Amino acid sequence: MSILIKNGRVIDPDTRKDGRYDILIEEDKIVKVDQEIKEEAEEVIDAEGCYVMPGLIDLHVHLRDPGQTYKETVETGAAAAAHGGFTTVLAMPNTKPVTDDRLNIRYVHNKAKAMAPIHVLQAGAITKGQKGKELADIESMVAEGAPAISEDGKSVMDSLLCKEAMKIAAECGVPVMAHCEDIDLVDGGVANDDESIRKQGLRGISNAVEDIIAVRDVMLAGETGAHLHLCHCSTYGSVEIVKQAKKQDIHVTAEVCPHHFTLTSKDVDASDANYKMNPPLRTKKDVEALKRGLRDDIMDVIATDHAPHSEEEKRRSFTAAPFGIVGLETAVPLTISELVEKEYLTPMQMAEKMSYNPAKILGLDKGSLAEGKIADVVIIDPNEEYVIDKNTFASKGRNTPFHGRTVRGKVKVTICDGKVVYKDK
C-alpha cells in the first residue's frame, strides 16, 4: 500500500521541518519527504490547510482491560485513540486483576496485536496488587515489554519501597510514572479545596496532597538516578517542583492533562459527576501556572488520563461516583483551542508534547516524520470548528464535561504503520 499526503503543513520536531511538504508512504515506512512529490500512489490525501504531525502518543490511558470491560476494552480504547489522532498509547496497570506480572503484560500486548488499529503498550504495577506492601516483579515485566512502571490510581506510600522500585527501574532503563497523592491527606475529599467547592457542600482535596508526594518522589529520583515522570500534574506547586528538579539535573519529566489546563474548580457542578476527576480541577492560579509551564517547556507532555466509566456510575452523587473522565477524543481540539490559538504553544510545541517527547520518555523510535521512519502520522485541520458530541465517541465511555463545547481543531486522518486507521467522515 502506498499513500501520498500532499499540500499539508508538515510539523516534525525530529527534523524541525515546519512548512509545506508532501509525504510519500510505502508499506509501513515514510520513504520521501519533499516540497513536491510527483510519484503516483494508491491513495492520495489532500492535506491543504492541515497540520501533518507524527502520530500522537498518549502516555496515560486506562483501558479497563482485563476486568472492567463494560467500561472499555483494548479494542474500543484503541479505536477511540485512533479517532483522537493517537497511534500509540500506554495503558495504566490498575486493571482487575492488577497488571503486576508478565502474563498480564502479555495478555494486553497480544490482544492489542490481534484487535487494535494502533500500538498499545502496557505499564506494569510497582507493587503486587497495587497494595503497596511488596514489590511486583519489575524485571520480568520489563523483559515482557512493559516500557514503564506505575502505581497509577494511587501512590506508593512506603518511601523505602518506592525507593527500591526506583532503583530497579533505573537498572532496567524504564521510567517510574508517579501518581502523586498523599492518601492520608485526602480525607474523603472529592474536589479542589477552595471556597467555590465548599459552598457546594463538597469535601476538598488540597494542593498539598499532590505536592508533598511530588517533592518526595523527586528527592528519591535524585538519590536513585531513576527517570521519574510525574503524571497528571494539577498544581502551581508541581510546576515549580519540576522546574527546580531540572535545575538540579534530576531526571524528571512531567505531564499535564487537557482538562487541567482548560477548566477550573469554578466550573464544577456538584450535581454532575463528570466534573469529578483525580487530581481535581484546581483554581485559575493553578491553571495559568500549568499553561505557562507547558509554554516554557518545564512540563514536557500533554497526556489524557483517559478514564472511562459507565453512565450508571457517573449518575451517582458527586461523592459516590468514581473519579475520572474520558480524554482521547477531545485532547486535540482542547489543546488547539486553549493553547495553540491562545498562543501558549506553537504548533511545533504541540507536536513535541503530544508525540516527540512521549516517544523519547518511553524510548520509542517514534514521534518523527523523517524518511525511513515508521509511518505513524496524524492530519489535523486546526481551523475546523465544531461542537463536541459524546455520542459520536468510539470509546465506551461518555463521561466528559466537554459535551456541547464548541472547539477548533479536528482530526481528519490517522495513519498507523502505513495504514489509514481513521478518517473523518
Side-chain angles (χ1 to χ4, degrees), residues 5 14 44 53 62 86 91 104 108 122 152 159 187 217 224 228 244 250 259 277 286 352 355 381 408:
I5 303 170
D14 187 23
V44 178
M53 292 179 173
H62 299 269
F86 294 92
N104 281 325
V108 174
Q122 178 64 55
D152 191 61
S159 296
D187 192 28
D217 286 358
T224 60
L228 173 67
Q244 294 304 320
I250 298 172
H259 47 275
M277 63 278 293
D286 296 298
E352 288 170 351
S355 184
D381 183 345
R408 280 183 182 270

Side-chain angles (χ1 to χ4, degrees), residues 313-358:
E313 288 169 318
K314 278 296 193 176
R315 279 199 297 266
R316 298 173 190 165
S317 72
F318 205 97
T319 299
F323 291 99
I325 64 170
V326 291
L328 284 166
E329 296 168 84
T330 55
V332 163
L334 292 175
T335 299
I336 289 174
S337 298
E338 295 300 318
L339 299 181
V340 177
E341 285 209 329
K342 295 180 180 179
E343 298 186 340
Y344 282 94
L345 294 187
T346 64
M348 182 66 77
Q349 283 180 302
M350 175 181 169
E352 288 170 351
K353 294 177 193 305
M354 298 188 77
S355 184
Y356 185 76
N357 290 350

Side-chain angles (χ1 to χ4, degrees), residues 104-253:
N104 281 325
I105 300 288
R106 187 180 303 170
Y107 162 80
V108 174
H109 287 174
N110 286 346
K111 189 170 184 180
K113 287 173 186 175
M115 305 180 76
I118 63 155
H119 305 283
V120 176
L121 303 174
Q122 178 64 55
I126 294 175
T127 69
K128 291 183 178 181
Q130 289 193 313
K131 294 179 179 178
K133 302 298 183 184
E134 182 182 358
L135 289 182
D137 189 348
I138 296 168
E139 294 98 329
S140 71
M141 290 189 291
V142 173
E144 190 63 43
I149 59 170
S150 179
E151 201 82 341
D152 191 61
K154 59 182 72 175
S155 293
V156 179
M157 292 303 297
D158 184 325
S159 296
L160 181 59
L161 203 62
C162 188
K163 182 177 180 179
E164 289 302 311
M166 285 193 186
K167 286 180 180 177
I168 296 168
E171 292 167 0
C172 292
V174 297
V176 177
M177 305 187 69
H179 171 118
C180 297
E181 179 184 20
D182 187 324
I183 193 62
D184 297 318
L185 274 181
V186 174
D187 192 28
V190 294
N192 189 57
D193 187 21
D194 64 44
E195 189 60 30
S196 67
I197 295 301
R198 289 190 288 272
K199 281 182 178 178
Q200 297 191 68
L202 300 176
R203 292 178 69 90
I205 299 173
S206 70
N207 286 26
V209 167
E210 179 174 321
D211 295 347
I212 286 172
I213 301 297
V215 169
R216 182 204 68 171
D217 286 358
V218 164
M219 294 174 73
L220 293 179
E223 288 193 4
T224 60
H227 174 185
L228 173 67
H229 179 78
L230 297 182
C231 296
H232 47 45
C233 295
S234 71
T235 69
Y236 68 88
S238 67
V239 178
E240 188 61 29
I241 290 163
V242 173
K243 181 179 179 181
Q244 294 304 320
K246 288 183 173 182
K247 283 183 178 180
Q248 297 174 48
D249 293 324
I250 298 172
H251 194 181
V252 176
T253 52

Side-chain angles (χ1 to χ4, degrees), residues 236 260-261 283-293 344:
Y236 68 88
H260 285 132
F261 62 63
T283 66
K284 184 177 179 180
K285 177 180 179 180
D286 296 298
V287 171
E288 288 302 316
L290 294 170
K291 285 158 54 167
R292 289 193 301 270
Y344 282 94

Side-chain angles (χ1 to χ4, degrees), residues 1 17 41 77 95 199 252 289 379 382:
M1 180 68 184
K17 281 186 170 67
T95 47
K199 281 182 178 178
V252 176
I379 301 172

